[in-house]
Amino acid sequence: MTGNAKLLQEWYDRVWQQGDISAIDTLMRSDITTDGLVPGMQIGPDEFKLLVITLGELIYPPVINVEKTMEDGDWVSGFITMQAEPRDRATPFTCTAMTFVRFENGRIVEAYNTMDFIRFFESLGLLPADTVALLLSGQPLQ
């Protein structure tokens, strides 16, 4: 892992695994917004802080691994796995995410993210098991 891939791993280590909210101000430029985590909504540093705190109410600090990365100039893309344990001590689970981030001077200046929130919320018992299969069959969620 080199260059921006190391910065990406630092982001996940500090912000998500350690819950270091101040690292958001260090690693993300204050005037940017990211796309993708919440459909139709761009998230800036302040909203990211709230997202980390909110998810932290649902799960213990996760173990996040940047499994695969590709770098091209200032850009790095990563395939991420997150191992999480629900706060209610239900069964630990793993879900995945993808990110596409541009760094300038060691800080995130542009980011596009996706996360398997269906798997995440199924694992927390907030969505029914096999949600995607149910939806593909035409069954509405009750």
Side-chain angles (χ1 to χ4, degrees):
M1 197 178 295
T2 62
N4 291 329
K6 284 185 180 180
L7 289 171
L8 184 63
Q9 183 66 61
E10 181 181 354
W11 168 265
Y12 286 107
D13 289 347
R14 291 179 63 192
V15 173
W16 290 103
Q17 294 186 149
Q18 297 168 21
D20 181 1
I21 301 299
S22 67
I24 293 171
D25 294 326
T26 303
L27 296 170
M28 178 184 278
R29 206 167 68 193
S30 64
D31 63 340
I32 75 143
T33 55
T34 65
D35 281 314
L37 280 179
V38 179
M41 187 171 110
Q42 294 183 324
I43 298 175
D46 290 337
E47 294 85 8
F48 230 103
K49 291 172 188 173
L50 290 172
L51 178 65
V52 172
I53 291 167
T54 300
L55 291 182
E57 295 293 321
L58 298 172
I59 61 172
Y60 289 102
V63 174
I64 296 181
N65 293 303
V66 179
E67 303 288 348
K68 304 281 185 198
T69 60
M70 292 181 67
E71 292 187 65
D72 184 13
D74 293 338
W75 288 94
V76 62
S77 62
F79 175 72
I80 288 87
T81 57
M82 177 179 76
Q83 298 169 335
E85 181 181 348
R87 290 270 179 189
D88 66 3
R89 295 290 185 186
T91 305
F93 63 94
T94 300
C95 65
T96 58
M98 298 282 294
T99 191
F100 194 54
V101 180
R102 185 168 64 89
F103 286 92
E104 251 179 36
N105 301 317
R107 297 178 86 186
I108 297 169
V109 296
E110 196 171 351
Y112 304 91
N113 305 285
T114 63
M115 182 173 159
D116 186 355
F117 277 118
I118 290 177
R119 170 79 172 127
F120 183 86
F121 289 116
E122 280 179 348
S123 298
L124 293 175
L126 299 172
L127 282 174
D130 302 317
T131 294
V132 172
L134 286 170
L135 295 172
L136 287 171
S137 73
Q139 295 293 315
L141 297 179
Q142 304 283 326

